[in-house]
Amino acid sequence: MVLRRRAVALLSVLSVVGLVVAVWFTPLLGVRRVDVAGTVELTADQVRAAAAVEPGSPLVRLDVDGIAERVRGLSRVAAVRVERSLPGTVLLTVDERTPVAVVNAGDGAHLVDATGRDYATVAQPPAGLPELKAEGKGRPAAVAVLVALPEPLRREVLAVSATSGADVRLTLTAGREVRWGSPDDTPRKAAVVEVLMTRDGSVFDVSSPELPTVS
């Protein structure tokens, strides 16, 4: 009886050890496929190539942080989520960067996202994107103002410019200009300029929202 219990216990231990070895060190539960979701401009193959997940790699031992870091190395990728699904699937869900402005240059149109990052160059800019004319400290200020604008006003912006963090200017349709100043108090400035633009004028200055002017 004692020998039987010992034999059963030994078999149980060996079974557990065998299972652990199979899961951790063999292709039994290894990667068989890598699925990609969320891509727009990128292709699934580009994401898979960047992820560099070896077929047959034990699923439970995958370095998901390393995979995510490699995929984020693609300039169009803002974020990525790596998920493992038994028996052998890895799912990569990608969030691509969204352009908010374009910088026109000799080599094409440079797309800029909400963080101010120049992440891609295309031959023709997407329709409806304002031109960004700002460098150095002016660029983050200009982008910060642009992304915080109410949508109706943002649709009228043809260009946003700045030479520093405190002199952002918006070029609007119909030859109008808004002198915005710094990104501070953007919601308040937006409310003020909405009222100002009901008056005749071409230059609307809300850099000091307490003392706005129209000329």
Side-chain angles (χ1 to χ4, degrees):
M1 194 68 167
V2 173
L3 290 176
R4 175 186 286 183
R5 286 199 296 268
R6 289 179 178 175
V8 170
L10 179 59
L11 287 174
S12 299
V13 170
L14 290 176
S15 297
V16 171
V17 170
L19 180 60
V20 170
V21 170
V23 170
W24 281 81
F25 301 103
T26 75
L28 180 63
L29 292 180
V31 177
R32 299 175 186 174
R33 55 187 288 181
V34 178
D35 292 339
V36 177
T39 54
V40 180
E41 298 295 336
L42 291 169
T43 66
D45 285 342
Q46 287 174 314
V47 176
R48 290 190 189 98
V53 178
E54 289 292 333
S57 300
L59 201 64
V60 296
R61 294 176 60 195
L62 281 182
D63 179 7
V64 294
D65 291 336
I67 294 170
E69 183 176 358
R70 291 193 292 274
V71 174
R72 284 195 298 267
L74 294 170
S75 61
R76 285 186 176 273
V77 173
V80 60
R81 185 170 68 255
V82 182
E83 299 174 274
R84 293 172 286 195
S85 178
L86 294 174
T89 300
V90 177
L91 173 61
L92 307 176
T93 304
V94 171
D95 292 328
E96 290 192 20
R97 298 182 187 277
T98 301
V100 298
V102 61
V103 176
N104 291 317
D107 60 344
H110 292 241
L111 304 181
V112 176
D113 73 358
T115 69
R117 177 170 175 173
D118 178 343
Y119 68 90
T121 304
V122 295
Q124 296 294 329
L129 283 185
E131 184 178 2
L132 177 62
K133 300 178 179 180
E135 293 298 336
K137 294 181 179 179
R139 174 172 288 195
V143 172
V145 169
L146 184 61
V147 299
L149 293 177
E151 185 59 30
L153 179 56
R154 191 187 311 168
R155 286 197 296 266
E156 296 194 54
V157 178
L158 300 178
V160 55
S161 59
T163 58
S164 72
D167 69 342
V168 177
R169 297 188 180 205
L170 307 176
T171 301
L172 306 184
T173 57
R176 297 168 297 167
E177 179 184 274
V178 179
R179 296 176 181 173
W180 203 269
S182 76
D184 297 338
D185 294 329
T186 284
R188 183 180 180 187
K189 291 175 180 178
V192 172
V193 81
E194 183 179 7
V195 175
L196 287 186
M197 288 172 62
T198 63
R199 305 176 186 175
D200 291 335
S202 59
V203 178
F204 307 89
D205 192 331
V206 292
S207 54
S208 296
E210 300 85 357
L211 299 169
T213 63
V214 180
S215 59

